[in-house]
mmCIF file of all heavy atoms in Angstrom:
data_model
loop_
_atom_site.group_PDB
_atom_site.id
_atom_site.type_symbol
_atom_site.label_atom_id
_atom_site.label_comp_id
_atom_site.label_asym_id
_atom_site.label_seq_id
_atom_site.Cartn_x
_atom_site.Cartn_y
_atom_site.Cartn_z
ATOM 1 N N ALA Q 1 7.574 -0.687 -5.361
ATOM 2 C CA ALA Q 1 7.622 -0.430 -6.758
ATOM 3 C C ALA Q 1 7.829 1.090 -6.980
ATOM 4 O O ALA Q 1 7.253 1.865 -6.199
ATOM 5 C CB ALA Q 1 6.416 -1.005 -7.488
ATOM 6 N N ASP Q 2 8.535 1.515 -7.957
ATOM 7 C CA ASP Q 2 8.720 2.938 -8.183
ATOM 8 C C ASP Q 2 7.383 3.582 -8.376
ATOM 9 O O ASP Q 2 7.274 4.799 -8.031
ATOM 10 C CB ASP Q 2 9.696 3.163 -9.339
ATOM 11 C CG ASP Q 2 11.067 2.746 -9.172
ATOM 12 O OD1 ASP Q 2 11.445 2.682 -7.985
ATOM 13 O OD2 ASP Q 2 11.823 2.510 -10.037
ATOM 14 N N SER Q 3 6.472 2.899 -8.985
ATOM 15 C CA SER Q 3 5.171 3.513 -9.303
ATOM 16 C C SER Q 3 4.366 3.901 -8.042
ATOM 17 O O SER Q 3 3.423 4.742 -8.151
ATOM 18 C CB SER Q 3 4.399 2.640 -10.179
ATOM 19 O OG SER Q 3 4.155 1.355 -9.513
ATOM 20 N N VAL Q 4 4.666 3.302 -6.832
ATOM 21 C CA VAL Q 4 3.855 3.565 -5.666
ATOM 22 C C VAL Q 4 4.627 4.205 -4.531
ATOM 23 O O VAL Q 4 4.142 4.658 -3.602
ATOM 24 C CB VAL Q 4 3.169 2.349 -5.186
ATOM 25 C CG1 VAL Q 4 2.315 1.677 -6.274
ATOM 26 C CG2 VAL Q 4 4.175 1.331 -4.630
ATOM 27 N N LYS Q 5 5.932 4.292 -4.724
ATOM 28 C CA LYS Q 5 6.886 4.860 -3.692
ATOM 29 C C LYS Q 5 6.411 6.295 -3.336
ATOM 30 O O LYS Q 5 6.077 7.037 -4.276
ATOM 31 C CB LYS Q 5 8.243 4.805 -4.101
ATOM 32 C CG LYS Q 5 9.273 5.068 -3.056
ATOM 33 C CD LYS Q 5 10.697 4.851 -3.556
ATOM 34 C CE LYS Q 5 11.716 4.986 -2.400
ATOM 35 N NZ LYS Q 5 13.086 4.717 -2.931
ATOM 36 N N GLU Q 6 6.436 6.630 -2.101
ATOM 37 C CA GLU Q 6 5.997 7.967 -1.642
ATOM 38 C C GLU Q 6 4.543 8.078 -1.499
ATOM 39 O O GLU Q 6 4.040 9.134 -0.959
ATOM 40 C CB GLU Q 6 6.584 9.158 -2.444
ATOM 41 C CG GLU Q 6 8.101 9.067 -2.667
ATOM 42 C CD GLU Q 6 8.842 9.117 -1.409
ATOM 43 O OE1 GLU Q 6 8.353 9.708 -0.377
ATOM 44 O OE2 GLU Q 6 10.021 8.485 -1.333
ATOM 45 N N ARG Q 7 3.762 7.175 -1.958
ATOM 46 C CA ARG Q 7 2.340 7.172 -1.912
ATOM 47 C C ARG Q 7 1.767 6.020 -1.102
ATOM 48 O O ARG Q 7 0.775 6.218 -0.371
ATOM 49 C CB ARG Q 7 1.642 7.178 -3.253
ATOM 50 C CG ARG Q 7 1.966 8.413 -4.184
ATOM 51 C CD ARG Q 7 1.058 8.400 -5.403
ATOM 52 N NE ARG Q 7 1.409 7.257 -6.223
ATOM 53 C CZ ARG Q 7 0.421 6.351 -6.566
ATOM 54 N NH1 ARG Q 7 -0.874 6.448 -6.094
ATOM 55 N NH2 ARG Q 7 0.717 5.279 -7.323
ATOM 56 N N PHE Q 8 2.382 4.910 -1.222
ATOM 57 C CA PHE Q 8 1.878 3.734 -0.492
ATOM 58 C C PHE Q 8 2.890 3.392 0.631
ATOM 59 O O PHE Q 8 4.131 3.664 0.571
ATOM 60 C CB PHE Q 8 1.896 2.533 -1.385
ATOM 61 C CG PHE Q 8 0.753 2.572 -2.467
ATOM 62 C CD1 PHE Q 8 0.026 3.706 -2.683
ATOM 63 C CD2 PHE Q 8 0.490 1.474 -3.222
ATOM 64 C CE1 PHE Q 8 -0.975 3.736 -3.648
ATOM 65 C CE2 PHE Q 8 -0.515 1.439 -4.173
ATOM 66 C CZ PHE Q 8 -1.156 2.625 -4.465
ATOM 67 N N THR Q 9 2.310 2.819 1.739
ATOM 68 C CA THR Q 9 3.137 2.424 2.837
ATOM 69 C C THR Q 9 2.725 0.968 3.302
ATOM 70 O O THR Q 9 1.552 0.784 3.568
ATOM 71 C CB THR Q 9 2.982 3.419 3.976
ATOM 72 O OG1 THR Q 9 3.393 4.715 3.649
ATOM 73 C CG2 THR Q 9 3.892 2.969 5.184
ATOM 74 N N ILE Q 10 3.681 0.139 3.334
ATOM 75 C CA ILE Q 10 3.419 -1.215 3.796
ATOM 76 C C ILE Q 10 3.873 -1.297 5.192
ATOM 77 O O ILE Q 10 4.871 -0.778 5.597
ATOM 78 C CB ILE Q 10 4.100 -2.332 2.917
ATOM 79 C CG1 ILE Q 10 3.629 -3.703 3.328
ATOM 80 C CG2 ILE Q 10 5.624 -2.167 3.028
ATOM 81 C CD1 ILE Q 10 4.102 -4.787 2.383
ATOM 82 N N SER Q 11 3.071 -2.011 5.988
ATOM 83 C CA SER Q 11 3.340 -2.227 7.412
ATOM 84 C C SER Q 11 2.853 -3.595 7.823
ATOM 85 O O SER Q 11 2.137 -4.274 7.071
ATOM 86 C CB SER Q 11 2.850 -1.152 8.283
ATOM 87 O OG SER Q 11 1.379 -1.096 8.216
ATOM 88 N N ARG Q 12 3.210 -4.026 9.111
ATOM 89 C CA ARG Q 12 2.671 -5.253 9.542
ATOM 90 C C ARG Q 12 2.604 -5.263 11.028
ATOM 91 O O ARG Q 12 3.282 -4.493 11.758
ATOM 92 C CB ARG Q 12 3.598 -6.418 9.112
ATOM 93 C CG ARG Q 12 4.983 -6.392 9.600
ATOM 94 C CD ARG Q 12 5.863 -7.477 8.964
ATOM 95 N NE ARG Q 12 5.353 -8.798 9.212
ATOM 96 C CZ ARG Q 12 5.832 -9.890 8.575
ATOM 97 N NH1 ARG Q 12 6.751 -9.715 7.679
ATOM 98 N NH2 ARG Q 12 5.388 -11.070 8.836
ATOM 99 N N ASP Q 13 1.717 -6.136 11.518
ATOM 100 C CA ASP Q 13 1.461 -6.331 12.984
ATOM 101 C C ASP Q 13 1.703 -7.837 13.225
ATOM 102 O O ASP Q 13 0.784 -8.633 12.925
ATOM 103 C CB ASP Q 13 0.149 -5.875 13.403
ATOM 104 C CG ASP Q 13 -0.089 -5.902 14.964
ATOM 105 O OD1 ASP Q 13 0.628 -6.752 15.553
ATOM 106 O OD2 ASP Q 13 -0.929 -5.195 15.394
ATOM 107 N N ASN Q 14 2.833 -8.196 13.633
ATOM 108 C CA ASN Q 14 3.038 -9.658 13.765
ATOM 109 C C ASN Q 14 2.189 -10.349 14.826
ATOM 110 O O ASN Q 14 2.002 -11.601 14.752
ATOM 111 C CB ASN Q 14 4.603 -9.878 14.029
ATOM 112 C CG ASN Q 14 5.435 -9.483 12.859
ATOM 113 O OD1 ASN Q 14 4.946 -9.495 11.681
ATOM 114 N ND2 ASN Q 14 6.680 -9.349 13.049
ATOM 115 N N ALA Q 15 1.797 -9.625 15.838
ATOM 116 C CA ALA Q 15 0.960 -10.162 16.867
ATOM 117 C C ALA Q 15 -0.368 -10.652 16.256
ATOM 118 O O ALA Q 15 -1.084 -11.435 16.848
ATOM 119 C CB ALA Q 15 0.801 -9.226 18.022
ATOM 120 N N LYS Q 16 -0.817 -9.921 15.245
ATOM 121 C CA LYS Q 16 -1.998 -10.205 14.619
ATOM 122 C C LYS Q 16 -1.893 -10.999 13.248
ATOM 123 O O LYS Q 16 -2.824 -11.263 12.518
ATOM 124 C CB LYS Q 16 -2.861 -8.925 14.340
ATOM 125 C CG LYS Q 16 -3.181 -8.182 15.508
ATOM 126 C CD LYS Q 16 -3.928 -6.844 15.180
ATOM 127 C CE LYS Q 16 -4.214 -6.066 16.397
ATOM 128 N NZ LYS Q 16 -4.966 -4.810 16.049
ATOM 129 N N ASN Q 17 -0.681 -11.344 12.864
ATOM 130 C CA ASN Q 17 -0.376 -11.995 11.656
ATOM 131 C C ASN Q 17 -1.001 -11.171 10.391
ATOM 132 O O ASN Q 17 -1.580 -11.733 9.511
ATOM 133 C CB ASN Q 17 -0.872 -13.386 11.609
ATOM 134 C CG ASN Q 17 -0.058 -14.327 12.461
ATOM 135 O OD1 ASN Q 17 1.081 -14.028 12.948
ATOM 136 N ND2 ASN Q 17 -0.743 -15.409 12.895
ATOM 137 N N THR Q 18 -0.895 -9.883 10.470
ATOM 138 C CA THR Q 18 -1.491 -9.054 9.519
ATOM 139 C C THR Q 18 -0.523 -8.074 8.865
ATOM 140 O O THR Q 18 0.350 -7.485 9.557
ATOM 141 C CB THR Q 18 -2.670 -8.246 10.209
ATOM 142 O OG1 THR Q 18 -3.513 -9.198 10.788
ATOM 143 C CG2 THR Q 18 -3.319 -7.347 9.233
ATOM 144 N N ALA Q 19 -0.713 -7.952 7.615
ATOM 145 C CA ALA Q 19 0.019 -6.821 6.810
ATOM 146 C C ALA Q 19 -0.901 -5.812 6.306
ATOM 147 O O ALA Q 19 -2.145 -6.112 6.115
ATOM 148 C CB ALA Q 19 0.764 -7.478 5.703
ATOM 149 N N TYR Q 20 -0.461 -4.645 6.106
ATOM 150 C CA TYR Q 20 -1.278 -3.540 5.670
ATOM 151 C C TYR Q 20 -0.644 -2.897 4.514
ATOM 152 O O TYR Q 20 0.613 -2.895 4.331
ATOM 153 C CB TYR Q 20 -1.509 -2.427 6.826
ATOM 154 C CG TYR Q 20 -2.077 -3.104 8.090
ATOM 155 C CD1 TYR Q 20 -1.212 -3.447 9.098
ATOM 156 C CD2 TYR Q 20 -3.431 -3.254 8.218
ATOM 157 C CE1 TYR Q 20 -1.727 -3.972 10.271
ATOM 158 C CE2 TYR Q 20 -4.010 -3.787 9.404
ATOM 159 C CZ TYR Q 20 -3.111 -4.158 10.448
ATOM 160 O OH TYR Q 20 -3.576 -4.672 11.577
ATOM 161 N N LEU Q 21 -1.518 -2.264 3.726
ATOM 162 C CA LEU Q 21 -1.000 -1.407 2.613
ATOM 163 C C LEU Q 21 -1.820 -0.106 2.644
ATOM 164 O O LEU Q 21 -3.018 -0.175 2.284
ATOM 165 C CB LEU Q 21 -1.130 -2.000 1.263
ATOM 166 C CG LEU Q 21 -0.522 -1.313 0.110
ATOM 167 C CD1 LEU Q 21 0.951 -1.219 0.266
ATOM 168 C CD2 LEU Q 21 -0.923 -1.901 -1.224
ATOM 169 N N GLN Q 22 -1.171 0.991 3.200
ATOM 170 C CA GLN Q 22 -1.850 2.290 3.153
ATOM 171 C C GLN Q 22 -1.645 2.919 1.865
ATOM 172 O O GLN Q 22 -0.437 3.119 1.362
ATOM 173 C CB GLN Q 22 -1.300 3.148 4.288
ATOM 174 C CG GLN Q 22 -1.899 4.553 4.362
ATOM 175 C CD GLN Q 22 -3.376 4.500 4.743
ATOM 176 O OE1 GLN Q 22 -3.725 3.872 5.646
ATOM 177 N NE2 GLN Q 22 -4.142 5.291 3.984
ATOM 178 N N MET Q 23 -2.659 3.177 1.043
ATOM 179 C CA MET Q 23 -2.534 3.791 -0.175
ATOM 180 C C MET Q 23 -3.053 5.207 -0.179
ATOM 181 O O MET Q 23 -4.329 5.408 0.091
ATOM 182 C CB MET Q 23 -3.297 2.921 -1.281
ATOM 183 C CG MET Q 23 -2.823 1.437 -1.227
ATOM 184 S SD MET Q 23 -3.700 0.481 -2.506
ATOM 185 C CE MET Q 23 -5.392 0.514 -1.889
ATOM 186 N N ASN Q 24 -2.223 6.222 -0.471
ATOM 187 C CA ASN Q 24 -2.626 7.594 -0.448
ATOM 188 C C ASN Q 24 -2.488 8.102 -1.876
ATOM 189 O O ASN Q 24 -1.773 7.665 -2.760
ATOM 190 C CB ASN Q 24 -1.754 8.343 0.507
ATOM 191 C CG ASN Q 24 -1.939 7.997 2.014
ATOM 192 O OD1 ASN Q 24 -3.099 7.561 2.411
ATOM 193 N ND2 ASN Q 24 -0.811 8.111 2.765
ATOM 194 N N ASN Q 25 -3.205 9.182 -2.072
ATOM 195 C CA ASN Q 25 -3.178 9.918 -3.370
ATOM 196 C C ASN Q 25 -3.350 8.878 -4.504
ATOM 197 O O ASN Q 25 -2.520 8.770 -5.456
ATOM 198 C CB ASN Q 25 -1.893 10.632 -3.557
ATOM 199 C CG ASN Q 25 -1.838 11.585 -4.738
ATOM 200 O OD1 ASN Q 25 -2.911 11.982 -5.127
ATOM 201 N ND2 ASN Q 25 -0.637 11.844 -5.221
ATOM 202 N N LEU Q 26 -4.398 8.117 -4.482
ATOM 203 C CA LEU Q 26 -4.623 7.051 -5.481
ATOM 204 C C LEU Q 26 -4.822 7.644 -6.803
ATOM 205 O O LEU Q 26 -5.455 8.758 -7.007
ATOM 206 C CB LEU Q 26 -5.775 6.196 -5.067
ATOM 207 C CG LEU Q 26 -5.457 5.183 -3.973
ATOM 208 C CD1 LEU Q 26 -6.763 4.714 -3.353
ATOM 209 C CD2 LEU Q 26 -4.701 4.032 -4.485
ATOM 210 N N LYS Q 27 -4.301 6.952 -7.773
ATOM 211 C CA LYS Q 27 -4.454 7.362 -9.201
ATOM 212 C C LYS Q 27 -5.209 6.379 -9.988
ATOM 213 O O LYS Q 27 -5.314 5.147 -9.574
ATOM 214 C CB LYS Q 27 -3.098 7.618 -9.783
ATOM 215 C CG LYS Q 27 -2.223 8.582 -9.063
ATOM 216 C CD LYS Q 27 -0.768 8.580 -9.646
ATOM 217 C CE LYS Q 27 0.078 9.648 -8.943
ATOM 218 N NZ LYS Q 27 1.436 9.712 -9.502
ATOM 219 N N SER Q 28 -5.696 6.696 -11.126
ATOM 220 C CA SER Q 28 -6.538 5.702 -11.955
ATOM 221 C C SER Q 28 -5.619 4.512 -12.347
ATOM 222 O O SER Q 28 -6.141 3.463 -12.416
ATOM 223 C CB SER Q 28 -7.072 6.423 -13.175
ATOM 224 O OG SER Q 28 -5.979 6.990 -14.000
ATOM 225 N N GLU Q 29 -4.308 4.770 -12.540
ATOM 226 C CA GLU Q 29 -3.492 3.736 -12.888
ATOM 227 C C GLU Q 29 -3.251 2.682 -11.668
ATOM 228 O O GLU Q 29 -2.651 1.640 -11.947
ATOM 229 C CB GLU Q 29 -2.140 4.128 -13.422
ATOM 230 C CG GLU Q 29 -1.422 5.235 -12.547
ATOM 231 C CD GLU Q 29 -1.639 6.565 -12.952
ATOM 232 O OE1 GLU Q 29 -2.879 6.876 -13.280
ATOM 233 O OE2 GLU Q 29 -0.702 7.357 -12.967
ATOM 234 N N ASP Q 30 -3.682 3.018 -10.484
ATOM 235 C CA ASP Q 30 -3.652 2.061 -9.422
ATOM 236 C C ASP Q 30 -4.746 1.061 -9.409
ATOM 237 O O ASP Q 30 -4.811 0.111 -8.640
ATOM 238 C CB ASP Q 30 -3.721 2.810 -8.118
ATOM 239 C CG ASP Q 30 -2.478 3.701 -7.896
ATOM 240 O OD1 ASP Q 30 -1.309 3.261 -8.213
ATOM 241 O OD2 ASP Q 30 -2.606 4.808 -7.446
ATOM 242 N N THR Q 31 -5.692 1.233 -10.329
ATOM 243 C CA THR Q 31 -6.844 0.264 -10.433
ATOM 244 C C THR Q 31 -6.368 -1.129 -10.743
ATOM 245 O O THR Q 31 -5.647 -1.354 -11.756
ATOM 246 C CB THR Q 31 -7.869 0.784 -11.507
ATOM 247 O OG1 THR Q 31 -8.390 2.068 -11.095
ATOM 248 C CG2 THR Q 31 -8.999 -0.175 -11.668
ATOM 249 N N ALA Q 32 -6.659 -2.042 -9.904
ATOM 250 C CA ALA Q 32 -6.255 -3.415 -10.075
ATOM 251 C C ALA Q 32 -6.843 -4.213 -8.998
ATOM 252 O O ALA Q 32 -7.426 -3.735 -7.989
ATOM 253 C CB ALA Q 32 -4.768 -3.499 -10.039
ATOM 254 N N VAL Q 33 -6.709 -5.522 -9.113
ATOM 255 C CA VAL Q 33 -6.980 -6.448 -8.059
ATOM 256 C C VAL Q 33 -5.660 -6.560 -7.264
ATOM 257 O O VAL Q 33 -4.603 -6.879 -7.762
ATOM 258 C CB VAL Q 33 -7.392 -7.841 -8.476
ATOM 259 C CG1 VAL Q 33 -7.465 -8.788 -7.333
ATOM 260 C CG2 VAL Q 33 -8.651 -7.771 -9.346
ATOM 261 N N TYR Q 34 -5.709 -6.344 -5.924
ATOM 262 C CA TYR Q 34 -4.576 -6.329 -5.033
ATOM 263 C C TYR Q 34 -4.521 -7.656 -4.338
ATOM 264 O O TYR Q 34 -5.424 -8.139 -3.760
ATOM 265 C CB TYR Q 34 -4.546 -5.157 -4.175
ATOM 266 C CG TYR Q 34 -4.141 -3.880 -4.733
ATOM 267 C CD1 TYR Q 34 -4.955 -3.337 -5.661
ATOM 268 C CD2 TYR Q 34 -2.920 -3.252 -4.519
ATOM 269 C CE1 TYR Q 34 -4.666 -2.119 -6.377
ATOM 270 C CE2 TYR Q 34 -2.554 -2.139 -5.146
ATOM 271 C CZ TYR Q 34 -3.407 -1.523 -6.048
ATOM 272 O OH TYR Q 34 -2.986 -0.321 -6.641
#
């Protein structure tokens, strides 16, 4: 999403069936249930 680009990074480890969301420089408007 444009609102998180350059701040958030999505990645995954298929061996672990796991996805990640690295969130940097968080802002108040990022407050939510993810």
